[in-house]
Amino acid sequence: MPMLSIHSLEPEAMHLPPGTSEFLGCQRRHTLPASEFRCLTPRDAISVFEIEREAFISVSGTCPLYLEEIRHFLTLCPELSLGWFEEGRLVAFIIGSLWDQERLTQESLALHRPGGRTAHLHILAVHRAFRQQGKGSVLLWRYLHHLGSQPAVRRAVLMCEDALVPFYEKFGFQAVGPCAVTVGSLTFTELQCSLRCHAFLRRNSGC
């Protein structure tokens, strides 16, 4: 798979009449919401992959999801994703799919099981320019509330490295033991979270 560059996604400079660029910039600020949360679509796949590639390959040498896998999940189950956009730019995202077994397996990395009652969180990532601002926490909280509004989804599961376990525990996740899934030499802890409390909070928040 060819390596993609964030710079390749930037529009080329245009030669416009004097004053036009200022007008367009002003118009853009008035037409794009300052901050927006929405489910992702296949059109967002490249932006998602650019953020993910920078966040993970530099650390672990691999990505949880590659571009075609991102498109796969955003086609099959876009309602299990959530993106945070600021002025039209993707700054953070979560991608999930449904799973129908008690524990995660190697198969769960690539499958969406429509009859499942468990949301498998494949990835949470934040653009490098927006890290250390609490955006991952805000997005995860909103995502769990979003899942809580879907009656068929009873719980959320994920796998992470041991250092990240305390982060997810703050949101109600509980460790259930070592995960059966491995990626190369990397091992993970599996965590799960009941969505009942998030569904209750959403119903009583007016969201």
Side-chain angles (χ1 to χ4, degrees):
M1 182 179 296
M3 301 296 284
L4 302 175
S5 166
I6 292 176
H7 299 291
S8 66
L9 302 179
E10 296 178 352
E12 294 182 2
M14 296 188 297
H15 300 287
L16 300 171
T20 306
S21 60
E22 288 82 0
F23 168 77
L24 291 175
C26 179
Q27 185 181 50
R28 183 175 187 272
R29 285 193 294 272
H30 286 288
T31 57
L32 290 174
S35 188
E36 176 190 18
F37 294 86
R38 66 166 173 80
C39 294
L40 300 168
T41 74
R43 291 184 178 181
D44 299 310
I46 291 178
S47 296
V48 165
F49 183 61
E50 286 295 332
I51 294 174
E52 181 195 17
R53 183 171 64 88
E54 187 278 330
F56 285 88
I57 287 186
S58 61
V59 176
S60 63
T62 186
C63 284
L65 299 174
Y66 283 90
L67 185 56
E68 289 309 312
E69 295 167 320
I70 292 168
R71 287 185 174 130
H72 172 73
F73 285 122
L74 296 185
T75 299
L76 292 180
C77 47
E79 72 281 1
L80 296 172
S81 68
L82 189 64
W84 185 345
F85 294 80
E86 292 198 349
E87 296 187 347
R89 179 187 185 186
L90 181 66
V91 300
F93 69 88
I94 295 175
I95 293 178
S97 65
L98 289 180
W99 185 237
D100 59 359
Q101 297 182 30
E102 184 66 23
R103 298 290 297 269
L104 296 174
T105 69
Q106 208 73 30
E107 284 186 321
S108 65
L109 299 183
L111 295 180
H112 168 61
R113 295 279 176 78
R117 297 280 186 152
T118 296
H120 172 202
L121 281 63
H122 291 273
I123 180 172
L124 184 164
V126 178
H127 191 285
R128 64 181 180 275
F130 296 87
R131 291 176 196 151
Q132 306 301 318
Q133 299 177 22
K135 282 184 163 51
S137 296
V138 172
L139 181 64
L140 180 56
W141 186 254
R142 281 181 171 263
Y143 182 76
L144 292 173
H145 279 24
H146 171 65
L147 291 180
S149 70
Q150 302 182 40
V153 184
R154 301 291 179 83
R155 67 179 184 131
V157 299
L158 58 84
M159 62 184 203
C160 69
E161 295 183 70
D162 290 347
L164 290 173
V165 169
F167 170 79
Y168 288 107
E169 287 178 334
K170 292 187 296 185
F171 299 89
F173 282 89
Q174 297 180 328
V176 296
C179 187
V181 179
T182 59
V183 178
S185 61
L186 297 177
T187 59
F188 306 94
T189 296
E190 186 170 334
L191 298 96
Q192 65 177 11
C193 173
S194 170
L195 295 173
R196 291 179 182 176
C197 63
H198 294 281
F200 174 81
L201 289 171
R202 185 175 182 84
R203 286 196 300 271
N204 288 275
S205 67
C207 295

